[in-house]
Amino acid sequence: MDILERAVEFENRKFSFKTTSDRILAAREAKEIILGVNEIYKKKKDAKLMDLMKRITVIKQKIEKRLKGRPLTAA
């Protein structure tokens, strides 16, 4: 599958993670997709590719935020 097709499929996927390992795999997949699209962006300099990377980065950040959990508050 082409990296751009994977990126669009990843972006449109419904995210309902049941386990932590599902979140970890999704974050790794997002990183892999971002790096792949970045290689294409370096050659073509297309603004649409940059927008795609930004949208996937936002999804990745949400996943990573969920992985970190809530900080403990000191009483």
Side-chain angles (χ1 to χ4, degrees), residues 9-35:
E9 186 270 329
F10 182 83
E11 186 179 18
N12 294 327
R13 189 182 307 164
K14 180 73 175 164
F15 294 105
S16 61
F17 304 113
K18 302 295 181 192
T19 63
T20 301
S21 63
D22 291 342
R23 291 184 200 101
I24 292 170
L25 291 174
R28 288 179 182 166
E29 182 182 0
K31 181 179 180 180
E32 182 181 324
I33 290 170
I34 291 167
L35 292 175

